[in-house]
């Protein structure tokens, strides 16, 4: 069984920074793309950033230049460095990984940007 565990969420003031982490554990043969999604109350879950196994990245327009996704394949971990945070970044953030040719999701971590 595969499990994704996220950490790093919390409350931060506008302009602040947070770093999210997501570690995969269990019976893992291969991990393909990794990504972060977010869902604000009453809205759909949207892609924030995605990184391929080879390191190619893509970002939502709303976070370009502020967020950076990275991965450590040896640790089965994906990170999301979030800088210059805005109130509209407030949401539950979910990590996603393609593991053993199946999609897996973390449980979500709350990020709240407020003064």
């Amino acid at each position: 069984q595969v499990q994704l565990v996220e950490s790093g969420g919390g409350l931060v003031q506008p302009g602040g920074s947070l770093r999210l982490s997501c570690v995969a554990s269990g019976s893992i043969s291969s991990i393909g793309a990794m990504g972060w999604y977010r869902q604000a109350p009453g809205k759909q879950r949207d892609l924030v950033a995605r990184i391929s196994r080879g390191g190619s990245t893509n970002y939502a327009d709303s976070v370009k230049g502020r967020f950076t996704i990275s991965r450590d394949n040896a640790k089965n971990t994906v990170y999301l460095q979030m800088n210059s945070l805005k109130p509209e970044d407030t949401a539950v953030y979910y990590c996603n990984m393609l593991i053993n040719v199946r999609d897996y999701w973390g449980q979500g971590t709350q990020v709240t940007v407020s003064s």
Side-chain angles (χ1 to χ4, degrees), residues 8-105:
L11 173 64
V12 63
Q13 293 187 342
S17 298
L18 283 175
R19 189 192 194 208
L20 305 183
S21 301
C22 176
V23 182
S25 62
S27 181
I28 298 172
S29 297
S30 65
I31 303 181
M34 299 176 173
W36 289 94
Y37 292 72
R38 66 185 180 188
Q39 187 168 20
K43 296 189 176 181
Q44 67 181 18
R45 189 177 299 187
D46 291 326
L47 174 69
V48 176
R50 197 156 180 84
I51 184 167
S52 71
R53 180 168 179 81
S56 298
T57 59
N58 62 287
Y59 296 90
D61 287 343
S62 59
V63 307
K64 283 181 181 176
R66 300 188 298 122
F67 291 10
T68 302
I69 189 170
S70 61
R71 63 189 286 167
D72 186 331
N73 291 329
K75 296 181 179 180
N76 295 338
T77 301
V78 62
Y79 305 97
L80 185 68
Q81 178 65 46
M82 305 185 293
N83 299 328
S84 303
L85 282 160
K86 304 175 181 180
E88 51 264 43
D89 294 318
T90 295
V92 178
Y93 284 69
Y94 298 90
C95 70
N96 169 267
M97 296 189 190
L98 184 65
I99 299 174
N100 304 340
V101 202
R102 278 188 57 186
D103 253 348
Y104 288 89
W105 293 88

